[in-house]
Amino acid sequence: MDLESRIQTLQNELDLSATTSSSQKKVDPKSWLPRAPARHTLTGHRDPINAVAFHPVFSVVASAAEDATIKVWDWEHGELEQTLKGHTKAVLDLDYGGPKTGVLLASCSHDLTIKLWDPGNEYNCIRTMKGHDHSVSSVRFIPSGSGADFLVSASRDRTLKIWDVSTGYAVKTIQGHVDWVRCVEPSLDGKWMASAGNDQTARIWDTSTNDHKTSLIGHTHVIECIAFAPVAAYPTLSNLAGVKKPPSSTSFNEYLATGSRDKTINLWDSRGTLIKTLTGHDNWVKGIVFHPGGRYLLSCSDDKTIRCWDLSQNGRCVKIIEPAHGHFVTCIKWAPNQTRGGIDGAANGAPSVESPRQNGTPPKIQSELSEMSGIRCVVATGSVDLTVKIWAT
Amino acid sequence: MAAADLASPQKPDWLSPSEEVEWYKSQYASLEQELLEFQTFSKELETELERELKTLEKEVEGHERNINTLRKKNEGLKYEVDEWKTKFKSSKEEANHVQNQLQKEITELREKNRTAQIRIREMEVSNDDFERNERIVKSSLDDLESKYNMAIERNVMNESEIQMLEQEREELRIELQRFKDELAELKVEAELSEEKYRMARRGTSNPRFQSPMPDAPTTPTSVSPTPRLSRATPSADFSSPTPPSPPISETSTSGSRIPTPHKDHLMTPKASHYRRGLPKGTPKKTPSMANLSDSARKKLIGNAAVAAKNNTNIPGPNSKSLTQIRGLIGQMQRLEKRVQTARSKMPPPAAKTPPRRMSPHLGSSAFLPPSSINLRRNIRNPGSTTSSVTSTSIEERFGSLSRSFGSHMVEAITRTDTPSSRPSSRTSSRQSYSTAGQGVSRPSSRASTSNVSHIPVPEYSSLPASKPRSSIGGLNDDIFATPRRGLTRTESGAHSRAVSTSGGSAIPRRKSMQTIHGGAGSMSASYRRVSGGLNSLNLTDKNAPPVPPVPPTMRRKKLSGVGDA
């Protein structure tokens, strides 16, 4: 009896600790990584999924597919909310963002158009922008202090175009790439852009002057994806680069990561030096995303896995979700941080917008804390197996 | 006139005509002169004028000529101008035309270029799609292929496992058959011992002793299916009173006679059967058997010896039993003869039957090869189910007989009988025994009974052979299902062997009775009485009612019923 009771108490303790540990996971999202059983598997698309995008505020995720539709899902409950039809060909990329007054959804397609949808008004298509001479492969809102009034798109006509969201006109055309530009990513403060594509180089541009700043040369195959490192990742990355002092957190273009068809992920600094090559994927790397906590880098690949690389352990692959999908995993996105108050309603959900404010507050710990509180532990992936998976605690 | 006019006015007023004539004369003269002068002057002037006129005329002519030439020139030029004008016009038209054409062409080309570009773009896009899809399809193909390969592998593994299981099943079937045999034997033993026990209890009073005799006929009737199917003769033989015959010598001769023909035939099939039918099974089995046999054989030998002793001792007290034995021996001889004759007759029909039988049972070709063997088997097969009952009963009879005759007889018979023909399952089981080396060491009673009985059995049942066969399968399945599941092969085998070995002795038999569920085999008990109540202890152990005649028959019927079903 005595023993039994003791067992009982121990069991209780164990249960308690288990629950606390799980709750701790929620408390400490900095080290949270997606785990094998996906919370939701969203099915409905009839063709492979090309891109996913999180709504910056609501628990909404949109997915773009080859079947020329965009589907909007509630990732909290795993339900389909809406299907947007308008494009005539495969939709290649998606992004939420836009002016502070109202979040918009931008989508681009093989049919050479970029469309803007208004989530506030039942996702009506409010604008169709034509101008590219070839398929538009990527579209991003350029964040700025006042919200994203501009949009950058990358196209197979070898140009980048910057569009004014309010008027729908192309403001600038940036030429420089010699082949299909597959991806474009603005830095978190919107002052820089990085683009990469079939010419196997990534280029960094100054958005204000359209000047080509640096080229990142090193990949031996088409670059599929590019990402700026969040400020939170600077310490680990600088450590990895062998630099003693991490760069100031006021610049947002210090480090980048690119994923390529040569099955590697390269980490670069903004001067174009290759810091580290992460090898491990057995097939084309299709998507990369930095953990908002800064410690990890997540990548998805055509080898049907999601891999988590620990940057603090010299880029060791610490976790493999295998198989994450039944087929190629084409895209991965991390849910944007929760916006705290209306002040920094970072339309793009970028953590960057917070950091300038943190600059004023002296200790780093506080910034971390604030960041931590904002991190949402939700990852979405899309796949050729026609499903979108939501990975969450 | 003018001069005259001039002179007239000058005419002075003069008085005389002379003066006037004079004056007129003078006037005239002067006027004449003047006229002359004037005339000359005028002439000069005229010439002069004429000359002038001529030059002027000449000039005019020249001018005119000039004018003409100029006019001509002008005309030519005018013509030229017209020509140029037309030329210019035409050329301009042409130019316009060409320009228009070129313009059209340009626009066309531009259009074409645009469409071409669009097409190129579309093609690029679709190409991209195709490439991507190709990759996708390729990778899924790889996936499927690997899955397919895995499935094939698994399938092969499963198949091999199934084969193994099949073999195991076959082995188990054999095992079961063996158990069945042993069960029957043990039951008989039990009955016998019971009988013996009762006999021992009641003493050797003659009236009591008569009871077995009436039993004898009942047993065959109970086994009715076989005799009915087969010929009525055997049953008649059984029921017929014992014919007097030389006891020991006869038996011995029969024993010796049997082995020689059988051995050759039967040994070969045994080997072939094992080799082909149960290639894997045999190795497994033999060790187990060997193990068993090691332990079991000792027991067997010991038991056999005991049994033999007992048996030999038993007949002593009853003089009537001796006569009965003699009668039985006579029967046996008769049966043997019949067997021989039947064998000689059998071959042709048997050749047809075997395939049908063999196929359902094992499905292996192992049984087919030697026709003679097949024949025999066929003959025996029917016996196994329906006649197994009868055979056991008969066996018991003979067994008891042989027992009484002593161990030497037993040995001889065992040799002969083990190889002797049997239903495939049965034969195999038997053979396995023999291979294990137990054939010799068998419990005397069992071995002898089986040997002797087997030979006769086929005899009756040769005709109905096909029917019982099917029933065998049923029987096997039904009856043996439980042991198959419960005990592992070797264990069960060990048990059974132990049981079987224990045949003669009391102690092991007890176990056997417990393990084996009660059933048939009590028939022989009546005959067993002959041997006398040696193992009286068993009776107490047995649950089954000691009354010999009725229950056994019932059981038999049940068994047979099961078989038929």
Side-chain angles (χ1 to χ4, degrees), chain A residues 180-373:
Chain A
W180 186 351
V181 191
R182 281 188 178 269
C183 51
V184 64
E185 188 77 38
S187 72
L188 304 176
D189 58 355
K191 285 178 183 156
W192 304 92
M193 290 188 311
S195 63
N198 278 23
D199 55 6
Q200 305 177 12
T201 59
R203 288 160 199 258
I204 301 174
W205 312 85
D206 184 337
T207 33
S208 52
T209 61
N210 296 348
D211 281 343
H212 172 220
K213 198 189 163 210
T214 26
S215 289
L216 315 178
I217 301 166
H219 278 296
T220 56
H221 208 314
V222 173
I223 299 174
E224 286 277 353
C225 49
I226 193 163
F228 276 102
V231 178
Y234 287 178
T236 50
L237 280 170
S238 64
N239 201 19
L240 202 63
V243 179
K244 288 282 192 291
K245 209 177 76 178
S248 73
S249 55
T250 49
S251 63
F252 297 101
N253 64 336
E254 290 298 328
Y255 296 104
L256 296 101
T258 53
S260 164
R261 288 189 180 174
D262 61 13
K263 304 171 190 177
T264 61
I265 299 162
N266 281 359
L267 298 173
W268 314 81
D269 72 4
S270 57
R271 286 169 296 284
T273 46
L274 179 61
I275 298 169
K276 177 88 188 160
T277 300
L278 307 175
T279 54
H281 277 298
D282 299 327
N283 216 332
W284 297 358
V285 181
K286 278 294 188 68
I288 48 176
V289 64
F290 276 96
H291 192 297
R295 188 177 163 187
Y296 300 99
L297 176 67
L298 275 70
S299 63
C300 66
S301 156
D302 278 356
D303 62 6
K304 301 163 196 174
T305 63
I306 298 171
R307 281 169 202 255
C308 307
W309 313 84
D310 189 345
L311 302 175
S312 64
Q313 291 182 54
N314 201 24
R316 199 165 68 85
C317 179
V318 288
K319 187 160 191 176
I320 304 171
I321 299 175
E322 186 174 28
H325 279 277
H327 219 298
F328 299 163
V329 188
T330 52
C331 51
I332 184 166
K333 280 275 172 71
W334 198 289
N337 289 5
Q338 263 154 0
T339 49
R340 296 169 296 109
I343 307 157
D344 55 14
N348 212 9
S352 65
V353 187
E354 298 166 13
S355 37
R357 280 165 12 100
Q358 285 156 17
N359 253 354
T361 62
K364 203 172 162 191
I365 303 156
Q366 196 173 345
S367 76
E368 275 178 9
L369 275 174
S370 64
E371 260 180 28
M372 260 163 55
S373 65

Side-chain angles (χ1 to χ4, degrees), chain B residues 537-555:
Chain B
L537 285 175
N538 295 337
L539 238 186
T540 55
D541 294 335
K542 262 191 186 174
N543 305 338
V547 192
V550 183
T553 55
M554 292 288 285
R555 281 167 198 167

Side-chain angles (χ1 to χ4, degrees), chain A residues 66 133-134 283 302 304, chain B residues 121 124 132 135 139 143:
Chain A
E66 297 268 322
D133 297 331
H134 213 310
N283 216 332
D302 278 356
K304 301 163 196 174
Chain B
R121 193 197 305 137
E124 273 176 340
R132 198 172 34 214
R135 273 192 81 236
S139 88
D143 270 13

